[in-house]
Amino acid sequence: QVQLVESGGGLVQAGGSLRLSCAASGRTFSTSSSYVMGWFRQAPGKEREFVAAISWRGGTTDYADSVKGRFTISRDNAKNTVSLQMDSLKAEDTAVYYCAADRFGGTSPGQYSYWGQGTQVTVSS
């Protein structure tokens, strides 16, 4: 099993920045395990949507068009953490943000086996 815990959410004004972190743990999650890590978000009344993903070694990243150039995903395998730096935030970025992990990953929520509990990000306009 893999446990994921997000942190770093909060309230920020439009144009501001936030940095989300996700700490991974569990017997099957170690530096020898090649998990793809992803971030998703879900706004009220909307489906959960892909935000960003990063490969095991961090050499490959993928972003939703809506966040390209504003968000940056990174990971520290020595610490089993993945981060999402969010800059130039907009009101439409308001959502609960979820960290996810899977051996293969992708851009669809159904492609991830493990999920965190989510952290609220609210951007005021």
Side-chain angles (χ1 to χ4, degrees):
Q1 287 290 344
V2 174
Q3 291 81 44
L4 304 172
V5 179
E6 302 97 335
S7 61
L11 173 64
V12 64
Q13 288 187 334
S17 299
L18 276 177
R19 186 177 181 87
L20 305 183
S21 293
C22 173
S25 62
R27 187 170 61 88
T28 59
F29 193 98
S30 67
T31 55
S32 64
S33 302
S34 56
Y35 282 88
V36 173
M37 303 296 294
W39 284 96
F40 288 78
R41 66 187 182 186
Q42 188 166 17
K46 295 187 177 181
E47 294 186 351
R48 192 168 298 189
E49 65 175 6
F50 171 75
V51 175
I54 188 166
S55 61
W56 162 240
R57 296 191 182 278
T60 301
T61 57
D62 194 10
Y63 296 92
D65 288 342
S66 59
V67 306
K68 278 182 181 177
R70 300 188 298 121
F71 291 11
T72 303
I73 189 171
S74 61
R75 67 189 297 166
D76 184 339
N77 288 340
K79 297 181 179 179
N80 288 343
T81 59
V82 61
S83 298
L84 185 69
Q85 176 67 39
M86 305 186 295
D87 299 318
S88 302
L89 282 160
K90 305 175 181 179
E92 50 263 44
D93 294 318
T94 296
V96 177
Y97 282 71
Y98 297 90
C99 176
D102 190 83
R103 297 279 189 181
F104 303 102
T107 60
S108 170
Q111 294 175 295
Y112 288 80
S113 301
Y114 303 101
W115 292 86
Q117 81 290 349
T119 184
Q120 176 70 46
V121 171
T122 303
V123 183
S124 63
S125 58

